[in-house]
Amino acid sequence: MSKKVKIEADGSTEEKIKTAANIVFTKKGFSGTRTRDIAEEAGINLALLNYYFRSKEKLFDIVMMENIQQFLMGIKGVLNNQELSLTEKISLVAENYINLLREQPDMPLFILSEIKANPEKLATNMNVREILLKSHFYEQLRRALNDKVNPLHFIVNIISLTVFPFVASPLLKVVGELKQEDFDKMVEERKKMIPVWIEAMLKVH
Amino acid sequence: MSKKVKIEADGSTEEKIKTAANIVFTKKGFSGTRTRDIAEEAGINLALLNYYFRSKEKLFDIVMMENIQQFLMGIKGVLNNQELSLTEKISLVAENYINLLREQPDMPLFILSEIKANPEKLATNMNVREILLKSHFYEQLRRALNDKVNPLHFIVNIISLTVFPFVASPLLKVVGELKQEDFDKMVEERKKMIPVWIEAMLKVH
DNA sequence: AAATATTTTAATCATTTGATTAAATCATAC
DNA sequence: GTATGATTTAATCAAATGATTAAAATATTT
């Protein structure tokens, strides 16, 4: 008498809808997305979407939460690893993020846009704060800066240098006349350079 | 028999609509904005909006163009000034942008989101490329880097460090538990630090 | 295989929203 | 002050869109 008996092989309908929703939402944002687009992308009928998830907003919240989760999980392990030096951590964070963003380049602009439109939804998710500011990494950063500069500046700097090129990629491609291939090459170069740059920035304080 | 006879004192209706549109569009994006919201913000009837500007999209295009224009004009003068050293230019660019963005903090996320949604509209505006890459500044950058690194990386770096905190401000405020006041203090500090940081980054190459 | 539960569909509803229209108001010219 | 053109409004239209419904199809249990 259980509600879910069928063992879904690979892509259950529910999963297909979530995947499709992720694609469309991250590309067009919440208000730019029509539920019909998601249905089409998933290859299902519109009514199914409301059958599985009660509304567009519920579906959105799920997709959004999974995105933020994914964005944080990629570094959570690194930041509290007691074995790694500050420099090693920065290298790993930059590399992990660039790898993630090359696969999901629309993710950061999507997250930032929707958090701005609805900051209170994130406020619930306060563990973001814990992960970043109560980490071993943050402590290493604080020491390296000798309490002369707010370490938050460097959290911002690392994320800026890593993430911003993806947020600004359409602009960057036009300005630099870059093809996707050239853009990929650039962000690949940045994997090595960002840690060196951050190192240099730390030293001037 | 001229079409426009009335000499508008301060805020003509047309100007009021544009100002209102800018506020609402930059806050909610194109698809998140309802023309009724703009009308209300401007304190006018909805039909007036379609009387002055033919459609939501026409109004949007104008607002968008003025934003991009404003974003570029702030630095155009600086970049080609033959008198200024590279470091001086970086200082001025950072300071000018931070001043601009403190007044219009929603501008960059708005521009980036809408360019992504509609890159071809920007493509027409190719002078962005000219302003940045054919500038005296770019040449100074190229020399400072001894052709070892693509100067575009440093264009990206300067803009990243300057603009990204505003793009990510809702996130930054939650993570750092910052009030508006604290955020303002941080970006104010960055006016001085960004040039120092960039200097340090340049030296490691 | 019959009965039951689950999944999917086509059709439709109700609301939102961009846009239009026709009439009213206001300013300016004559 | 009347006429003319510009500006503004209230009412309404038409299309888009999120959601529902009732029935059909499919799977599962007995």
Side-chain angles (χ1 to χ4, degrees):
Chain A
M1 289 305 185
S2 73
K3 281 260 162 115
K4 265 284 173 58
V5 188
K6 189 161 75 172
I7 294 157
E8 306 296 352
D10 57 336
S12 71
T13 302
E14 196 172 338
E15 205 55 43
K16 270 198 304 188
I17 295 175
K18 264 166 57 176
T19 305
N22 193 31
I23 292 171
V24 183
F25 275 138
T26 53
K27 198 173 291 174
K28 307 195 175 183
F30 179 76
S31 47
T33 294
R34 296 173 305 154
T35 49
R36 282 165 174 80
D37 292 338
I38 299 176
E40 190 186 357
E41 176 79 33
I44 53 117
N45 188 284
L46 169 61
L48 256 185
L49 189 148
N50 290 288
Y51 171 74
Y52 279 105
F53 308 87
R54 265 179 55 86
S55 70
K56 179 187 179 184
E57 195 164 356
K58 290 253 173 61
L59 178 55
F60 176 81
D61 287 346
I62 292 170
V63 167
M64 174 55 112
M65 211 185 59
E66 288 187 357
N67 268 278
I68 292 181
Q69 214 69 357
Q70 197 183 359
F71 199 79
L72 290 175
M73 285 313 146
I75 55 162
K76 197 178 178 182
V78 173
L79 296 189
N80 278 306
N81 187 328
Q82 310 273 331
E83 313 285 311
L84 298 168
S85 72
L86 182 60
T87 314
E88 287 168 331
K89 286 200 178 89
I90 294 170
S91 284
L92 282 172
V93 167
E95 182 153 351
N96 282 353
Y97 268 137
I98 288 175
N99 287 341
L100 172 63
L101 295 180
R102 284 189 62 173
E103 279 175 25
Q104 313 222 24
D106 290 336
M107 192 169 60
L109 193 54
F110 167 67
I111 291 178
L112 294 169
S113 298
E114 303 300 334
I115 283 180
K116 195 190 87 179
N118 236 323
E120 69 282 1
K121 277 190 183 167
L122 180 75
T124 327
N125 228 330
M126 280 295 266
N127 58 341
V128 183
R129 186 178 152 72
E130 309 297 310
I131 291 174
L132 276 178
L133 300 198
K134 302 210 167 168
S135 63
H136 184 237
F137 173 70
Y138 190 82
E139 193 53 33
Q140 288 175 304
L141 204 48
R142 203 184 54 70
R143 280 197 205 164
L145 288 167
N146 278 317
D147 295 307
K148 284 183 197 148
V149 180
N150 185 346
L152 200 50
H153 274 299
F154 276 81
I155 301 275
V156 171
N157 292 348
I158 294 167
I159 300 181
S160 297
L161 294 175
T162 310
V163 174
F164 192 78
F166 290 91
V167 174
S169 73
L171 190 57
L172 186 51
K173 283 173 187 163
V174 170
V175 170
E177 277 184 352
L178 305 180
K179 293 173 211 151
Q180 181 61 42
E181 183 192 333
D182 305 317
F183 178 81
D184 289 343
K185 199 183 131 218
M186 264 198 86
V187 295
E188 204 59 33
E189 288 169 0
R190 293 179 76 85
K191 280 188 190 172
K192 300 258 184 248
M193 291 195 289
I194 287 172
V196 177
W197 289 333
I198 297 284
E199 194 86 355
M201 292 161 78
L202 284 169
K203 279 195 189 131
V204 296
H205 286 294
Chain B
M1 289 304 185
S2 74
K3 279 259 163 117
K4 264 286 173 59
V5 187
K6 190 160 75 172
I7 293 157
E8 305 297 352
D10 57 338
S12 70
T13 303
E14 195 172 338
E15 205 54 44
K16 271 198 302 188
I17 295 174
K18 263 166 59 175
T19 305
N22 193 32
I23 292 171
V24 183
F25 274 138
T26 51
K27 198 174 290 175
K28 307 195 176 183
F30 179 75
S31 46
T33 294
R34 294 174 306 155
T35 50
R36 281 163 175 80
D37 291 340
I38 299 176
E40 191 187 358
E41 176 79 34
I44 52 116
N45 189 285
L46 169 62
L48 256 184
L49 190 147
N50 290 289
Y51 171 73
Y52 279 104
F53 308 87
R54 266 181 55 86
S55 69
K56 178 186 179 184
E57 196 164 356
K58 290 253 173 61
L59 177 55
F60 176 81
D61 287 345
I62 292 169
V63 167
M64 174 55 113
M65 211 185 60
E66 288 187 356
N67 268 278
I68 292 180
Q69 213 68 357
Q70 196 182 359
F71 200 79
L72 290 176
M73 283 314 146
I75 53 161
K76 197 178 179 182
V78 174
L79 296 189
N80 278 306
N81 186 327
Q82 310 272 332
E83 312 286 312
L84 298 167
S85 71
L86 181 60
T87 315
E88 289 169 329
K89 285 200 177 90
I90 294 169
S91 284
L92 283 172
V93 167
E95 183 154 350
N96 282 353
Y97 268 137
I98 288 175
N99 287 341
L100 172 64
L101 295 180
R102 284 189 62 172
E103 280 175 24
Q104 313 221 23
D106 290 336
M107 192 169 62
L109 192 55
F110 167 68
I111 291 178
L112 293 169
S113 298
E114 302 300 334
I115 283 179
K116 195 190 89 180
N118 236 323
E120 70 281 4
K121 277 191 183 169
L122 181 75
T124 326
N125 228 329
M126 280 296 265
N127 57 340
V128 183
R129 186 179 151 73
E130 308 298 310
I131 291 174
L132 277 177
L133 299 199
K134 303 212 167 165
S135 62
H136 184 235
F137 174 71
Y138 191 83
E139 193 52 34
Q140 287 175 303
L141 204 49
R142 202 184 54 70
R143 281 198 205 163
L145 288 166
N146 278 316
D147 294 309
K148 285 182 195 151
V149 180
N150 185 347
L152 200 51
H153 274 300
F154 275 81
I155 301 274
V156 171
N157 292 348
I158 294 167
I159 299 180
S160 297
L161 294 175
T162 310
V163 174
F164 192 78
F166 290 91
V167 174
S169 73
L171 190 58
L172 186 50
K173 283 174 187 164
V174 170
V175 169
E177 277 184 353
L178 305 181
K179 295 173 210 151
Q180 182 60 43
E181 183 192 331
D182 305 317
F183 178 80
D184 289 343
K185 199 182 132 221
M186 266 197 84
V187 294
E188 204 59 33
E189 288 169 359
R190 294 178 77 84
K191 281 187 190 173
K192 300 255 182 251
M193 292 194 289
I194 288 171
V196 177
W197 290 333
I198 297 283
E199 194 86 355
M201 291 161 78
L202 283 168
K203 280 196 189 131
V204 297
H205 285 295

